[in-house]
Amino acid sequence: MMFYNANGRVRRWFLVGSLVLNLFLVAVVSGQYLHHREGHVPVLTRILRHVTSRLDAQDAAAFRAALHQEAPHYAQAQEDLVRARAEIDRQLLAPHFDPVATRAAMQQWQDAWNVFVGTFSDALVEAMGRLSPAGRRALVNSTPRQKSGY
């Protein structure tokens, strides 16, 4: 019988395949749950909320104002990034998985990410420049760091 060969390889491959599929499905379901739980708040908005929660009221207002003022410079890049991410989701949720299309979608997302980071970093530098030294220190001290010293 095929399932009971001497090495049990076929059964092991079925077990590994089943585990991988289950982990993938758990990740998809968890991602959807978290997406709906967050109320469709964009990631950038959540990050900025976290950042400004570490600042006093005056620094937080100055930081938000600078980013709002600079929004025309990075808004299109942000929209392109959101669309690229949606295409990855579409590919992953398609009834028939297409690895070529998925790789292309991931490359498109990476390219969109690079453009976004390039344009948003200018706005972020402008916003950081409007913070007080204490505000910049609060942000630096609130970010997670690797313990290795790098």
Side-chain angles (χ1 to χ4, degrees), residues 36-49:
H36 290 292
R37 188 171 153 234
E38 291 292 332
H40 302 287
V41 176
V43 172
L44 181 61
T45 302
R46 287 190 304 238
I47 292 169
L48 293 177
R49 282 182 189 163

Side-chain angles (χ1 to χ4, degrees), residues 50-146:
H50 173 76
V51 165
T52 55
S53 73
R54 305 294 195 236
L55 301 172
D56 66 28
Q58 186 176 355
D59 275 338
F63 192 81
R64 278 190 222 99
L67 289 178
H68 182 69
Q69 181 180 352
E70 294 292 317
H73 297 113
Y74 64 85
Q76 184 61 52
Q78 184 180 6
E79 290 174 21
D80 293 345
L81 184 61
V82 168
R83 275 194 297 279
R85 175 57 204 198
E87 179 59 22
I88 290 174
D89 290 347
R90 192 178 76 71
Q91 290 299 323
L92 292 175
L93 297 173
H96 300 288
F97 181 73
D98 181 351
V100 173
T102 302
R103 282 187 190 96
M106 294 178 99
Q107 183 62 52
Q108 181 184 14
W109 177 85
Q110 185 177 8
D111 294 343
W113 172 258
N114 290 338
V115 170
F116 172 73
V117 168
T119 57
F120 183 70
S121 65
D122 292 337
L124 188 59
V125 168
E126 179 64 31
M128 296 293 282
R130 294 191 189 179
L131 294 177
S132 68
R136 290 192 306 273
R137 193 169 29 261
L139 289 182
V140 168
N141 289 335
S142 71
T143 58
R145 295 197 199 356
Q146 290 181 331

